[in-house]
Amino acid sequence: MTQHRRRASAQQVRRKRAVVAAAFAGTVALGVGVGVWASADGGARPGADVAQTSPAPRASTGATGRAAAPSSPTPTRTYPLSRAPRTIPAVRSHTAARGPGWQPRHGERVVVSDPRLADEGRLIAGELGLSYAGRKNDVRAGDLRLALGGGGDQESYSMTVKGGRVDISGPGDAGVFYGTRTLKQEVHGGGTAPEGVVRDAPAKPVRGFMLDIARKPYSASWIEDRVRELGDLKFNELGLHFSDDQAFRIESSSHPEIVSKDHLTKAQVKRIVDLAASRHITVVPEIDSPGHLGAVIAAHPDLQLRNVNGVATRGAIDISKAGSAKIVDDLLNEYAGVFPGGKWHLGGDEYQALTVSDPQASFPQLAAAARQKYGSGAKVSDLAAGWLNDRAATVRAHHRTMRAWNDGFFRNTSVQPAKDLQVAYWTGKEIGARQPLEYLSTGRKVINYNDEFLYYVLGQPQTFVYPTGQRIYEQWTPRVLRGTTPVPARYDPQILGGVFAVWSDFPNAQTEAQVAAGIRMPLRATVQKLWDPGAPALSWTQFKALADRLG
């Protein structure tokens, strides 16, 4: 072989090596370019893997002394560490992992381990466009599996996203439902549930919204929309205040004469109650007494409370008359069948007979009834405390847990409110107002309705202003029962939670749509602080942006 031919052969080898190297570099560049795909909010989506390659092996020489062709590179795929889900309320714990996460895809299944989860399974399947397959033991790619198991808080759950599947489990179906709400929010708008494990539970067992439908009639469809909203936010109570001076708003068979023209039928109420139950929301009814009964009294003027001069006391029923107790008990017994949930609000606030300087002199018939029933030293406040206890006995027979407004608990009375009555603490402005500690120190369980943060009063009468989500988010916690100062931490276990309330004092001040818009962010801020009362991880601006993204 000539020297020229040997040189030509070497040049060919060099050119061949250059082609191989260029091809390899192009492959790496293509892999990186295609593999990196991050979502707008920084979370990884399926396929958001970063392609990495092993370094090219060194060329080896064989027995001939010629360089062997380099072996093909072996690419491997890894994923960035996942971030915690972005939801309202925020999850309490997330263990990050590497993986593609999960997105719902048409044709994939929702399966359950227990037929008691059928409602939860069908709901999330319909919401995410999946197929509900019922109880199955096999495992398929893309599955969403719901399971019951373990012990502890019935509202707790864990959610594991791994291997292209999602497993949500909890000791109770309520917790499993809340897990599906977390998942629904995470995949909203094409998002991805991040790889890893969520462990979550609420800090407070009472997370409520109360609506005054007595002063302002709300359509059944509007209330149903609020139920869906509450469910997605992990609220678990809807209070309905449906009897007041202005109107009585639900159909009655025992006393149809008291029902206002514009009212909800029992069939409509049943649909609301059933929808709420499917979202693990208890509807808590309130027939307020012995005050706020103007609509009932209008049809029964003989029961109107009158003072010593015969002047009628607005909204107040005469609790010295047997007929007063009978009509209220009739209603309590009737609506126990309409509202089968385990909770009841007895009212008890603002009884006008106790707002005068000398109730005994102003209402001698009440003073006489008190002495006759409770002894010579009894006062009108004792009669009112006894009235509340008697109504509690009526409701207790239906196996309900009961609450009453804090100003229905009177101080310095010989008759003490029933020990199983919970305190719905809303104000410190009543005559003889007591600090929350007076209730807590006696061992009472308290629910926070703080009117400085949680009262949305239509028309903003007196000193009320529409509450903002930002103020709740940044300043309120369940321990802030009155004003802006929290009670000592040692009482936290006695505070069961809180309720955001809409009161319709000036019913035409806002439309239904305006109310829905006005309470949107306050509801989200309230449930965030009831689910986790600690300092939120997100700023208010970030929290609001998240709420806007989730819709």
Side-chain angles (χ1 to χ4, degrees), residues 107-186:
E108 291 176 346
R109 306 183 307 173
V110 176
V111 297
V112 298
S113 68
D114 192 298
R116 287 175 291 177
L117 295 173
D119 290 343
E120 289 74 19
R122 289 191 178 95
L123 178 62
I124 190 66
E127 290 170 329
L128 301 187
L130 303 176
S131 171
Y132 177 69
R135 187 174 183 179
K136 300 289 183 184
N137 294 321
D138 64 314
V139 176
R140 294 183 188 176
D143 274 357
L144 165 57
R145 177 173 291 274
L146 310 181
L148 292 174
D153 187 344
Q154 294 293 294
E155 292 189 309
S156 67
Y157 70 93
S158 65
M159 182 175 76
T160 302
V161 180
K162 182 179 181 181
R165 298 192 306 273
V166 181
D167 289 277
I168 298 174
S169 63
D173 51 356
V176 174
F177 171 73
Y178 296 139
T180 68
R181 300 306 88 189
T182 295
L183 182 65
K184 179 184 176 183
Q185 288 193 29
E186 264 299 286

Side-chain angles (χ1 to χ4, degrees), residues 27 38 45 76 82 84 128 141 165 190 212 219 222 233 262 269 321 375 391 411 425 442 502 519 541 544 551:
T27 300
R45 299 184 183 277
T76 60
S82 63
L128 301 187
R165 298 192 306 273
D212 170 13
S219 65
W222 190 91
L233 293 171
D262 195 347
V269 172
K321 296 183 175 181
R391 307 294 75 75
R411 72 180 358 159
Y425 197 99
T442 63
V502 170
I519 66 176
T541 300
K544 188 175 185 304

